[in-house]
């Protein structure tokens, strides 16, 4: 009886250790994100106003649509020269037969070089020094970031950046694609 109990305990511990080890092995996949296709099908709304907007602004990428009984809202990423602008967005809403929009397209002029001097491999290496990516796959995307986007009364300060992120978006690091300086990062951990 004691031998059987001891054997059960040893097998349970062994199984637990094997499971933990497999979970901590992480992922060796590295994926480049560069698509501009809509992440949500725009035809689900059947809206001429939305179709007109997408025709007028082909640099938009729908990433979320919220529908309600009496209105809807569409959220879009903004691209410039085929690069995502991480700090710009476009929102189109329909309510009470009125279309309204909030956008950053009207003043989108980005006078910077769009050629990185740091390759994605180096960018990932820098990001790994800041965040722990050992339990996740890695995705990277070249894009544009406004250093002053979250300040009031500011002048734009665009930078070409790499965004390195894990599964489900976390952790992530945004770093300069010309000198490797880290501008922002988030490990995804939130206090309760």
């Amino acid at each position: 009886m004691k031998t059987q109990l001891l054997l059960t305990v040893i097998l349970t511990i062994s199984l637990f250790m094997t499971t933990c080890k497999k979970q901590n092995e992480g992922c060796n996949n590295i994926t480049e994100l560069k698509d501009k296709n809509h992440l949500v099908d725009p035809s689900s709304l059947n809206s001429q106003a939305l179709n007109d907007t997408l025709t007028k602004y082909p640099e938009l990428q729908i990433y979320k649509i919220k529908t309600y009984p009496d209105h809807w809202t569409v959220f879009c990423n903004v691209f410039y020269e085929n690069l995502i602008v991480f700090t710009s967005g476009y929102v189109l809403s329909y309510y009470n037969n009125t279309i309204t929009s909030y956008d950053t397209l009207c003043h989108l002029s980005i006078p910077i070089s769009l050629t990185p001097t740091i390759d994605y491999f180096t960018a990932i290496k820098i990001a790994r020094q800041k965040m722990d990516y050992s339990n996740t796959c890695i995705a990277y995307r070249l894009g544009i970031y406004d250093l002053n986007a979250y300040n009031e009364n500011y002048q734009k300060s665009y930078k070409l950046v790499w965004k390195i992120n894990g599964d489900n978006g976390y952790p992530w690091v945004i770093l300069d694609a010309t000198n490797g300086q880290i501008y922002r990062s988030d490990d995804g951990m939130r206090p309760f």
Side-chain angles (χ1 to χ4, degrees), residues 101-125:
S101 67
Y102 166 76
D103 72 80
T104 55
L105 296 172
C106 59
H107 58 307
L108 196 60
S109 173
I110 303 178
I112 62 171
S113 170
L114 301 179
T115 304
T117 55
I118 292 177
D119 63 18
Y120 76 90
F121 186 76
T122 303
I124 291 170
K125 190 175 180 180

Side-chain angles (χ1 to χ4, degrees), residues 21-34:
K21 185 177 179 184
K22 285 181 182 176
Q23 289 174 350
N24 290 332
E25 287 177 0
C27 173
N28 292 324
N29 291 342
I30 296 177
T31 305
E32 180 180 14
L33 303 175
K34 59 182 178 180

Side-chain angles (χ1 to χ4, degrees), residues 142-183:
L142 186 64
I144 299 167
Y145 186 82
D146 179 4
L147 294 178
N148 295 324
Y150 304 107
N151 300 331
E152 294 181 31
N153 302 324
Y154 69 90
Q155 287 189 351
K156 297 203 172 291
S157 180
Y158 289 113
K159 300 292 182 180
L160 185 67
V161 298
W162 289 107
K163 183 175 183 184
I164 313 299
N165 60 271
D167 291 337
N168 302 320
Y170 292 100
W172 57 260
V173 173
I174 293 178
L175 59 101
D176 195 296
T178 60
N179 64 24
Q181 180 180 353
I182 294 175
Y183 295 126

Side-chain angles (χ1 to χ4, degrees), residues 34-52:
K34 59 182 178 180
D35 62 303
K36 286 180 51 178
N37 297 331
H38 297 298
L39 304 177
V40 177
D41 184 6
S43 66
S44 64
L45 280 183
N46 193 24
S47 165
Q48 188 58 46
L50 176 59
N51 293 337
D52 292 346

